[in-house]
Amino acid sequence: PKAKVTYLRPRLGRKVGSICGLENGQLARRFRGGTHVEFRPESGGGYSILVNRVEAGVWAGGLHENVVLDSSNLVLVPQPTFPGMVSVTLYRLAA
């Protein structure tokens, strides 16, 4: 029998901060504690996400898509916003 695959919503810890900006622009912000997060638009749509100048993940831009960023202990949670804008909140991954 095939194994059943379930996708668990990651447990969110403390809120790190939020980023908001234009949909096709590059977004960058330094958060308290020295964490630098950068969103770079990709040619096919979506964003490449860098944490402290190291590629940590890719976000397709979907509103219902939580992204656990590799090796940075962060979770990206998209927020609803106006058309043409992007808004995400970053949380620490709970233990």
Side-chain angles (χ1 to χ4, degrees), residues 23-38:
E23 192 171 44
N24 295 327
Q26 184 172 336
L27 306 173
R29 181 165 175 207
R30 181 171 299 281
F31 295 103
R32 205 159 128 199
T35 304
H36 183 266
V37 179
E38 199 171 328

Side-chain angles (χ1 to χ4, degrees), residues 37-40 42 46-51 54-60 65 67-72 74 76:
V37 179
E38 199 171 328
F39 290 78
R40 293 185 180 168
E42 293 186 334
Y47 296 89
S48 175
I49 304 168
L50 287 79
V51 176
V54 176
E55 181 145 0
V58 176
W59 177 46
E65 179 188 4
V67 179
V68 177
L69 302 178
D70 298 336
S71 70
S72 62
L74 294 175
L76 175 144

Side-chain angles (χ1 to χ4, degrees), residues 9-24:
R9 182 177 178 152
R11 292 188 48 177
L12 303 179
R14 183 177 58 86
K15 180 178 175 181
V16 175
S18 299
I19 297 177
C20 184
L22 294 175
E23 192 171 44
N24 295 327

